[in-house]
């Protein structure tokens, strides 16, 4: 099965993303300086050089402002097309989609640094952890019915495959951040394959 091609980004989408990244950078700086509770939306918007209206349109809440890069994984799900009629085929397709996005992230030094900063903040900012969980649940609720209808599988099958692929992706990012903070180096692609292998071994060893 071939990996779905990445969607082409238009000029308007690119400008929108650039502005969102500026908002994210401003929020990260202020959260690191003052904490989440000590920072206001107006302060983030002012530092990013945008209006509060633009902030709310692109970021939603101040907590969501730092998760600009997480959108790449949700948006990539639109690339999952017809994959066959079973959960194994869907899981393979989802793994390919997430692997491609991890590879793109690994090649983007600025995005990698943003991910690391966000994960450090989450460790001592419960509001950010709550936002991350909420975003994940909302994304699944949005995409599961859409993917199920598109490829003709039951929603439970889609939710199960997405849960496994999502767990592998999140574990990869968390382990990558942990190793980085202790001075170890590893590519996201290699870690993603390692996580998949360990999970597969754990499942088969209990069969």
């Amino acid at each position: 099965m071939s990996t779905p091609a990445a969607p082409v980004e238009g000029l308007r989408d690119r400008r929108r993303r650039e502005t969102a990244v500026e908002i994210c950078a401003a929020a990260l700086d202020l959260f690191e300086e003052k904490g989440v509770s000590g920072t206001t939306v107006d302060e983030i918007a002012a530092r990013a050089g945008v209006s509060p209206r633009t902030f709310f349109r692109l970021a939603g809440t101040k907590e969501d402002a730092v998760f600009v890069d997480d959108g790449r994984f949700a948006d990539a799900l639109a690339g999952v097309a017809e994959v066959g009629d079973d959960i194994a085929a869907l899981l393979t397709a989802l793994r390919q989609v997430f692997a491609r996005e991890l590879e793109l992230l690994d090649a983007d030094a600025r995005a990698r640094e943003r991910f690391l900063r966000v994960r450090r903040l989450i460790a001592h900012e419960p509001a950010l952890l709550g936002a991350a969980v909420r975003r994940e649940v909302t994304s699944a609720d949005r995409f599961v019915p859409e993917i199920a209808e598109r490829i003709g599988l039951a929603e439970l099958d889609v939710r199960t495959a997405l849960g496994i692929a999502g767990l592998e992706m999140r574990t990869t990012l968390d382990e990558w951040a942990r190793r980085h903070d202790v001075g170890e180096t590893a590519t996201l692609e290699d870690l993603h394959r390692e996580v998949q292998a360990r999970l597969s071994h754990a499942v088969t060893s209990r069969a």
Side-chain angles (χ1 to χ4, degrees):
M1 181 185 301
S2 60
T3 302
V8 177
E9 186 177 39
L11 178 59
R12 178 178 297 180
D13 289 338
R14 185 164 66 250
R15 287 177 175 170
R16 177 186 177 93
R17 174 165 176 76
E18 289 171 352
T19 302
V21 167
E22 291 170 359
I23 291 172
C24 175
L28 280 171
D29 288 343
L30 286 165
F31 290 170
E32 289 171 347
E33 294 169 12
K34 306 171 61 176
V36 175
S37 61
T39 301
T40 68
V41 165
D42 286 345
E43 288 174 324
I44 298 173
R47 183 166 295 198
V50 302
S51 68
R53 180 179 179 181
T54 296
F55 174 92
F56 286 117
R57 178 167 55 86
L58 295 181
T61 70
K62 65 180 180 180
E63 292 84 5
D64 287 330
V66 299
F67 294 105
V68 61
D69 289 304
D70 282 7
R72 70 170 69 220
F73 298 105
D75 292 344
L77 295 177
V80 178
E82 295 183 9
V83 297
D85 59 358
D86 60 48
I87 190 172
L90 174 59
L91 179 56
T92 297
L94 290 170
R95 282 169 166 166
Q96 290 176 337
V97 166
F98 287 145
R100 183 189 67 217
E101 293 306 313
L102 288 169
E103 182 179 2
L104 292 173
L105 174 60
D106 219 6
D108 187 339
R110 291 183 178 180
R112 291 200 313 270
E113 181 60 25
R114 285 194 297 270
F115 259 101
L116 289 170
R117 292 173 70 188
V118 170
R119 271 148 183 77
R120 293 185 188 115
L121 279 169
I122 285 176
H124 57 83
E125 288 282 1
L128 292 185
L129 177 58
V133 172
R134 173 177 51 77
R135 288 171 63 89
E136 182 178 331
V137 171
T138 300
S139 179
D141 288 344
R142 169 190 171 193
F143 281 104
V144 165
E146 178 184 319
I147 295 174
E149 182 177 0
R150 187 193 314 153
I151 65 178
L153 284 179
E155 289 192 11
L156 179 58
D157 288 340
V158 175
R159 194 174 296 278
T160 300
L162 186 57
I164 295 171
L167 172 62
E168 293 170 350
M169 184 268 293
R170 290 191 305 276
T171 303
T172 296
L173 288 167
D174 289 343
E175 178 62 11
W176 167 70
R178 185 196 68 79
R179 293 189 187 187
H180 183 278
D181 285 345
V182 298
E184 299 178 11
T185 59
T187 67
L188 284 166
E189 304 98 294
D190 288 344
L191 275 176
H192 192 223
R193 286 191 290 268
E194 181 180 346
V195 168
Q196 289 179 40
R198 287 175 179 270
L199 180 59
S200 296
H201 176 73
V203 171
T204 56
S205 65
R206 288 180 173 272

